[in-house]
Amino acid sequence: MQSPLPLRKIRPIQLIAVIFFTVSGGPYGLEPLLTYAGEHGALMVLLITPLLWDIPAIFTVLELNSMMPVTGGYYQWVKQVLGTRWGFYEGWWTWLYTFIDLAIYPGLFVLYASFFFPWLAEYRIPICLIFIWLSALLNIFGIVPVGKTSLFLGAAVLTPFIILFGLAFYHHTVTTIPAQSLHGMPFSSLGMALYTVMWNCLGWDNVTTYAEEVEQPIKSYLFSMFTAFALVIVLYFLIILVSQQSGINMGVLKEEAFPAVGVAIGGRWLGSLIALAGMASSFGIYAAVLLSVSRVPKVMADDDLLPKRLNKLHSRYQTPYVSIVVCSLVGSLMILWPFADLLIIDVTVYGAGLSLEYISLIKLRMTSPDVYRPFKIPLNTVGLCLMVLLPVTVYFVALAAAFSSNKQAAWAAIFAIVVLGTAELVWRIILWKKPHHKQGRLY
C-alpha cells in the first residue's frame, strides 16, 4: 500500500488569496446594492456595514484562533468553551448555511459566461453541475492546489478592475462623491442593502477550519486577514463609485451586472475581461468555501456527532474526500433557489452561528482571563460586550426588514429560522441513538 504523502501547508501569500475568495472573490454579487440603496445611500451602507459587521468578527476570529489554531476552527472553539451541544449547533448551522452559500456561485458563473454566449442560460443546470464537481476534484487534491489556484484566480479577478479604475479616473468619469444619506430609503430596501453587503463580507471564521494546514498560523492569519479586508473594502468602494458615475442605467446594471460597466467605460473588450473575471471569481469562491466547510463534518464525525465515514481521508492526498463529495451532492440540489432568497437565508443562518463564537469569546475572557493569547483584542469584558452589540444590531435590523418586505423575502426569512431549528431536532436524534452511558459525555 502506498504511504500517505506528508501534509503540505500553504504560505501567507496563498492564504491571503484563499481568504479573499472565501470572504469576497471580488465585487460580483454586489450589483443589487445600487438598486436597493440608490445613489445617495449605497456608499454609506457599503462603508458602515463592514465596520459594524466584519471588524468585530475579524477580531474575534483572530483572538480565538490564536488560542486554538486547530482543524475545525470555530466548531472546536464553541465545543471547548460552551460544550458539545453548542459545538454541534455551531457545526450544523455552518454546514447548512454553506450549502446555501455554495448554491449561489455556479449560477453566477453561468450569468457571467452568458455575456459571451447568451444561449448558455438555457443549459444552466448541467453547467452548474460540471462546475460543482470540477471544484470537488480540485479540493480532493488538497489545500495547496486550492491555494495556488486561488492565487492565480485572484490575479485574474483583480486585473480587469485595476484597468477599469485606471480608465475611469483617466477619463475623469469619477468627479465627486455624492452626498450620502439614508433619508427616504424604505426600511425594506435598507434591509436588502444590508443583506447584500453582509453576504459580500461574511466568512472570516470559515478560513480557520484548516489552521493546522497553514505555515505559522497565528502570524499568518494576523497578516493575511487584515490584508484581505483592506483589499476587499477598497475594491468594493471603487466599483460602486465608478458604477454610479459611469452613466449606466440601473436596469442595465441589474440585468447585465458589472461587465456592463466595463463596456460603458472601456468598450466591449473591457466588459469581456470583467465577465471572464466573474467566471474566475465564482470558481475561486466555490473552491475556497468548499475547502473550509468540508473540514467541519470531518471533525464532527471524529466526535461521533455525524456518521463516521465523513472523517475518512484520501489515502494519497489526506483530504476528507467523503465530506467533500457529500457537500457537493447537497450543493447540486440547491442550485434552483433565486439569488435574493439565498442571500437572506445564507446571512440569517450564518449570523446565528457567528453569535456562538462571540459568546465563546466573552466566556473565555471571564473564565480564563490569564490564559496566554498571542493576539488579544484590546478591550475588557464590558468592551467586548459592547463590540458584539454592533454586528447583532445589524443582523436584527436586516432580519426585521426582510419580514417587512415582500412575501417572498419574508418566507425566505421564515425558512432560515426553520433551518436553525433543525439543529435541536438532529441533536435529539443523536442523543436517542447513543447509549445512555455516553450521553453525559455529549453534554
Side-chain angles (χ1 to χ4, degrees):
M1 181 182 294
Q2 186 177 11
S3 60
L5 295 176
L7 184 64
R8 300 171 67 194
K9 299 187 177 185
I10 58 173
R11 299 175 180 178
I13 187 66
Q14 296 170 335
L15 183 61
I16 292 172
V18 174
I19 293 174
F20 174 73
F21 276 110
T22 303
V23 174
S24 168
Y28 300 101
L30 194 63
E31 294 95 336
L33 176 62
L34 283 167
T35 302
Y36 295 131
E39 179 183 3
H40 296 288
L43 290 176
M44 177 179 287
V45 173
L46 179 62
L47 292 179
I48 292 177
T49 304
L51 293 177
L52 304 180
W53 174 250
D54 289 275
I55 294 297
I58 291 173
F59 280 144
T60 298
V61 167
L62 286 173
E63 179 164 327
L64 291 175
N65 191 60
S66 73
M67 298 175 71
M68 294 175 272
V70 294
T71 297
Y74 46 82
Y75 161 74
Q76 299 281 24
W77 308 337
V78 174
K79 185 188 72 172
Q80 293 186 36
V81 179
L82 302 182
T84 304
R85 180 180 186 176
W86 290 107
F88 172 78
Y89 270 51
E90 175 77 2
W92 183 257
W93 285 344
T94 305
W95 206 25
L96 293 183
Y97 115 75
T98 310
F99 289 148
I100 299 160
D101 196 46
L102 289 176
I104 295 173
Y105 305 113
L108 287 177
F109 180 88
V110 175
L111 170 66
Y112 294 112
S114 299
F115 178 84
F116 304 101
F117 306 105
W119 51 266
L120 287 177
E122 300 176 13
Y123 301 94
R124 178 178 178 272
I125 292 178
I127 294 173
C128 287
L129 292 176
I130 294 172
F131 174 101
I132 288 170
W133 290 101
L134 280 177
S135 180
L137 183 63
L138 178 65
N139 266 270
I140 289 173
F141 288 156
I143 190 172
V144 173
V146 173
K148 290 181 177 179
T149 302
S150 296
L151 198 58
F152 170 77
L153 294 177
V157 169
L158 292 176
T159 299
F161 287 103
I162 293 173
I163 296 172
L164 174 70
F165 301 148
L167 288 176
F169 284 98
Y170 177 77
H171 293 301
H172 304 290
T173 302
V174 178
T175 53
T176 59
I177 297 177
Q180 297 296 298
S181 172
L182 300 180
H183 180 71
M185 185 186 304
F187 186 56
S188 58
S189 296
L190 173 62
M192 289 309 300
L194 288 174
Y195 270 120
T196 301
V197 177
M198 290 161 75
W199 174 74
N200 276 276
C201 295
L202 60 76
W204 299 101
D205 50 350
N206 283 346
V207 303
T208 63
T209 61
Y210 40 80
E212 292 179 5
E213 301 171 69
V214 176
E215 289 184 359
Q216 299 181 311
I218 295 171
K219 181 178 179 181
S220 295
Y221 275 105
L222 180 62
F223 170 75
S224 300
M225 290 186 78
F226 281 115
T227 303
F229 177 76
L231 180 62
V232 168
I233 298 305
V234 170
L235 181 60
Y236 286 3
F237 178 83
L238 289 177
I239 188 59
I240 292 298
L241 182 63
V242 170
S243 297
Q244 279 183 332
Q245 303 197 24
S246 65
I248 190 171
N249 180 275
M250 289 298 104
V252 174
L253 178 62
K254 184 177 180 180
E255 291 295 324
E256 301 181 16
F258 287 133
V261 179
V263 173
I265 297 294
R268 177 78 182 180
W269 67 272
L270 184 53
S272 299
L273 285 180
I274 293 176
L276 283 172
M279 296 166 64
S281 171
S282 300
F283 187 82
I285 296 172
Y286 190 98
V289 173
L290 181 59
L291 172 71
S292 66
V293 73
S294 61
R295 270 58 178 175
V296 176
K298 189 268 178 189
V299 292
M300 292 176 73
D302 288 339
D303 291 336
D304 294 326
L305 297 178
L306 288 175
K308 275 292 186 183
R309 189 163 178 79
L310 285 171
N311 67 2
K312 189 174 178 61
L313 298 179
H314 193 282
S315 59
R316 177 174 175 82
Y317 301 110
Q318 295 299 290
T319 52
Y321 73 98
V322 176
S323 175
I324 291 170
V325 169
V326 170
C327 291
S328 301
L329 282 171
V330 178
S332 298
L333 299 174
M334 298 288 295
I335 56 178
L336 296 176
W337 283 80
F339 181 74
D341 289 0
L342 288 171
L343 290 189
I344 294 173
I345 301 167
D346 196 3
V347 174
T348 302
V349 178
Y350 171 80
L354 187 61
S355 68
L356 296 181
E357 297 166 37
Y358 290 137
I359 294 170
S360 300
L361 173 73
I362 294 170
K363 184 176 180 180
L364 269 177
R365 282 291 191 92
M366 296 173 65
T367 59
S368 306
D370 298 324
V371 173
Y372 175 63
R373 294 161 168 82
F375 175 86
K376 184 177 181 179
I377 302 170
L379 295 171
N380 59 21
T381 304
V382 175
L384 290 181
C385 292
L386 294 174
M387 180 192 78
V388 167
L389 281 178
L390 300 177
V392 169
T393 300
V394 173
Y395 177 82
F396 280 107
V397 167
L399 185 60
F403 278 108
S404 69
S405 188
N406 56 63
K407 289 184 178 179
Q408 187 172 345
W411 277 113
I414 292 171
F415 179 82
I417 294 172
V418 172
V419 166
L420 293 174
T422 62
E424 177 63 18
L425 175 62
V426 177
W427 174 254
R428 290 296 168 183
I429 293 173
I430 291 171
L431 291 182
W432 174 69
K433 295 181 70 175
K434 293 291 179 184
H436 291 293
H437 69 277
K438 290 186 178 181
Q439 289 188 14
R441 182 174 65 86
L442 286 176
Y443 277 98

